[in-house]
Amino acid sequence: DPCLPSEWEEVSVKRVFRNQIFNIKIIKEKGICSGVERVVCNNTTIENNIIPLQITKQENNVEVFIK
């Protein structure tokens, strides 16, 4: 699970995986790091932490909300 320093509220990273671009933003909602609350990929909420390849595109926007 990602964890951010206490003074950070969010961080962004760009990752290329299997010739697809993933623009990933990790957002800390509650001020502590105690695990992933939810993952959203291309405006679709993911049931677990694994993004299914069938919903991905050439460029993807991913938001990871940590609690």
Side-chain angles (χ1 to χ4, degrees):
D1 290 336
C3 190
L4 301 178
S6 60
E7 60 273 2
W8 293 14
E9 293 184 19
E10 65 182 48
V11 66
S12 296
V13 64
K14 185 177 197 175
R15 169 101 159 52
V16 177
F17 179 72
R18 296 187 181 174
N19 296 319
Q20 295 177 318
I21 299 169
F22 289 84
N23 300 307
I24 304 166
K25 182 185 283 188
I26 300 170
I27 304 163
K28 182 169 50 172
E29 294 188 304
K30 298 178 181 159
I32 59 172
C33 291
S34 62
V36 174
E37 187 171 317
R38 71 184 184 280
V39 176
V40 179
C41 180
N42 301 325
N43 297 317
T44 300
T45 300
I46 306 304
E47 292 299 319
N48 54 39
N49 295 346
I50 300 171
I51 299 171
L53 290 178
Q54 55 268 38
I55 70 162
T56 61
K57 305 182 275 187
Q58 185 58 40
E59 187 161 353
N60 302 278
N61 294 310
V62 178
E63 295 175 304
V64 178
F65 295 89
I66 55 178
K67 47 187 172 174

